[in-house]
Amino acid sequence: MEIRRFFVSQSDISDGVVVLCGDEFAHMTRVLRYKVGYKAIICANDGVERLCTVESIGRDSATLRVDKSETVDRKNVELTLYAGLLKNNKLDFAIQKAVELGVDRIVPFLSANCAETKFCRDRSSKIALEAAKQCGSAYLSEVGELISFDGMIDRFKDYDDVVFAYEGERKNRISDFRPTGKRIAIVIGPEGGFGAEEAEIIKSNGAKCVSLGRRILRAETASVVACALLLNGLGELDCE
Ligand code: SAH
């Protein structure tokens, strides 16, 4: 039987015992029909995999004993993807791929050319959770609340570097980007792209403008390409 992966908070683990509750408990017991004695991998967004055995199953929670812990991943950088809100399930795709690549946080934003205005954080967080399980991540990427364009600009100060993938950029290549610290943000526009005024505001607030090549990529393609190139250049796609 495949040993399934579940995500908890650090506070759910103490003295070698894990308490699983909420949606993850429901998934374990009602969907996967777990019983006492079954094995599970428990992750708490810290790069550690805990091989556990189910010791008890109650009405609302289960307790698991940690049999073996192993640090399987570590992050040298913390990458946040700021993604212009996209229509239909294109943002779902961008979130899923960002999680698979190891992006730490995905924050959707509204800008002048966004055609979509509706966003459901719970639904998108579930997509991130399923992607983390599927790819065997020991980290759980966070999906943030929908913010405004100005709200995104205000957050630039929280990062060592903000990389701005701009379809109008003709000189700087993303592969030439060199980080100055560990906290990095990457900004990708919506289907309608960025207006010249928005681009100027982003650049004048310290973002480093880069091109993803001569061709205009779809927003969801651009977010995958930009995150992959950045993470690869930062050594985050190494396999050891
Ligand atoms: N509809 C616009 C393109 C928007 S693409 C147009 O046709 O001009 C959506 C976003 O993907 C852009 O805002 C940008 O952030 C990113 N992007 C797409 N192609 C890019 C490229 N060649 N270089 C840099 N960023 C790109």
Side-chain angles (χ1 to χ4, degrees), residues 52-123:
C52 299
T53 304
V54 177
E55 286 203 313
S56 69
I57 297 178
R59 198 164 59 86
D60 303 318
S61 67
T63 59
L64 297 92
R65 181 188 69 245
V66 178
D67 301 323
K68 184 179 158 227
S69 286
E70 184 184 359
T71 299
V72 296
D73 196 358
R74 62 182 52 76
K75 294 280 179 101
N76 302 310
V77 297
E78 188 185 291
L79 181 60
T80 299
L81 166 62
Y82 284 91
L85 195 59
L86 300 176
K87 285 189 297 190
N88 310 322
N89 53 6
K90 287 184 275 189
L91 186 65
D92 298 347
F93 176 87
I95 289 170
Q96 186 184 64
K97 300 314 158 198
V99 172
E100 291 172 45
L101 286 166
V103 173
D104 295 278
R105 188 176 301 101
I106 302 103
V107 180
F109 66 87
L110 279 171
S111 56
N113 295 343
C114 279
E116 182 57 81
T117 55
K118 291 187 300 302
F119 172 71
C120 176
R121 185 183 188 185
D122 282 352
R123 181 177 171 282

Side-chain angles (χ1 to χ4, degrees), residues 140-178:
L140 179 56
S141 308
E142 178 194 351
V143 178
E145 289 290 358
L146 178 65
I147 60 173
S148 66
F149 180 81
D150 292 343
M152 173 177 70
I153 300 295
D154 288 346
R155 295 187 186 197
F156 281 8
K157 62 184 179 309
D158 301 339
Y159 300 92
D160 298 301
D161 298 291
V162 177
V163 180
F164 169 34
Y166 180 42
E167 59 273 31
E169 173 63 24
R170 289 288 173 272
K171 192 162 67 66
N172 299 317
R173 301 181 310 169
I174 191 167
S175 49
D176 294 333
F177 164 71
R178 297 294 175 265

Side-chain angles (χ1 to χ4, degrees), residues 8-24:
V8 299
S9 305
Q10 288 285 351
S11 57
D12 297 323
I13 306 172
S14 65
D15 299 332
V17 175
V18 180
V19 176
L20 194 73
C21 49
D23 290 348
E24 287 287 76

Side-chain angles (χ1 to χ4, degrees), residues 2 14 27 31 33 43 54 65 94 132 145 182 187 198:
E2 182 194 350
S14 65
H27 189 69
V31 175
R33 299 273 178 221
C43 298
V54 177
R65 181 188 69 245
E145 289 290 358
K182 289 181 175 291
V187 177
E198 285 179 330

Side-chain angles (χ1 to χ4, degrees), residues 129-240:
L129 177 64
E130 288 319 310
K133 292 184 177 193
Q134 173 277 325
C135 69
S137 178
Y139 289 93
L140 179 56
S141 308
E142 178 194 351
V143 178
E145 289 290 358
L146 178 65
I147 60 173
S148 66
F149 180 81
D150 292 343
M152 173 177 70
I153 300 295
D154 288 346
R155 295 187 186 197
F156 281 8
K157 62 184 179 309
D158 301 339
Y159 300 92
D160 298 301
D161 298 291
V162 177
V163 180
F164 169 34
Y166 180 42
E167 59 273 31
E169 173 63 24
R170 289 288 173 272
K171 192 162 67 66
N172 299 317
R173 301 181 310 169
I174 191 167
S175 49
D176 294 333
F177 164 71
R178 297 294 175 265
T180 62
K182 289 181 175 291
R183 298 166 304 164
I184 301 169
I186 170 73
V187 177
I188 301 288
E191 291 101 334
F194 286 110
E197 190 184 331
E198 285 179 330
E200 273 318 304
I201 293 170
I202 293 172
K203 286 189 254 186
S204 63
N205 278 276
K208 294 171 181 153
C209 196
V210 298
S211 169
L212 298 177
R214 283 183 298 103
R215 287 172 291 280
I216 297 293
L217 310 178
R218 287 180 182 273
E220 61 273 25
T221 311
S223 62
V224 176
V225 169
C227 292
L229 291 174
L230 274 180
L231 288 166
N232 187 54
L234 296 164
E236 291 296 289
L237 296 189
D238 297 347
C239 43
E240 72 276 352

